[in-house]
Amino acid sequence: QVQLVESGGGLVQAGGSLRLSCAASERTFSTSVMAWFRQAPGKEREFVAAISRSGDTYYADSVKGRFSISRDNANTVDVQMNSLKPEDTAIYYCAKMRSGSVFLASSYEYWGQGTQVTVSS
């Protein structure tokens, strides 16, 4: 059983930056697609960003140019979030893929507990 633990969330003003980090309980990132999703109150969980085993990156249109996903080592994947907007407010989840499309939550088998990001206007 892989455990994923997110950190780095918090309260920030619009235009500010945050860096979220996801740590795994075992060396898993180098062999799996890893992603970040988010869920705002009353909304469905949505894709934010993903990074493949070869380092290819994928972004939701809403965060493209503002967020950057990276894999620091075999156990950590981060997302740097710049120019934050109030609509970025959500709980952010790290996930490890099982198979399928990188953009779909159903493709991922392991999830972290989430970290809250709140962007004030």
Side-chain angles (χ1 to χ4, degrees):
Q1 182 85 9
V2 175
Q3 291 185 328
L4 305 176
V5 179
E6 302 97 337
S7 62
L11 173 64
V12 65
Q13 289 188 330
S17 299
L18 282 174
R19 187 177 184 88
L20 305 183
S21 185
C22 175
S25 58
E26 61 183 60
R27 294 178 66 88
T28 184
F29 297 160
S30 63
T31 60
S32 302
V33 172
M34 299 298 301
W36 287 90
F37 283 74
R38 66 187 181 187
Q39 188 165 17
K43 295 187 177 181
E44 295 196 357
R45 193 166 297 190
E46 65 173 3
F47 171 80
V48 174
I51 186 165
S52 73
R53 292 173 291 177
S54 59
D56 294 331
T57 57
Y58 307 83
Y59 297 96
D61 288 343
S62 59
V63 307
K64 204 171 291 183
R66 300 187 299 121
F67 290 15
S68 178
I69 191 171
S70 62
R71 185 170 55 221
D72 292 343
N73 54 47
N75 294 80
T76 304
V77 61
D78 296 347
V79 60
Q80 176 67 39
M81 307 187 297
N82 299 325
S83 302
L84 283 161
K85 304 175 181 180
E87 50 263 45
D88 294 318
T89 295
I91 298 175
Y92 283 70
Y93 298 90
C94 175
K96 175 183 176 294
M97 175 178 274
R98 174 181 57 244
S99 64
S101 169
V102 298
F103 303 106
L104 299 179
S106 59
S107 300
Y108 295 81
E109 60 180 335
Y110 293 109
W111 294 84
Q113 292 297 311
T115 185
Q116 176 71 48
V117 170
T118 303
V119 184
S120 63
S121 57

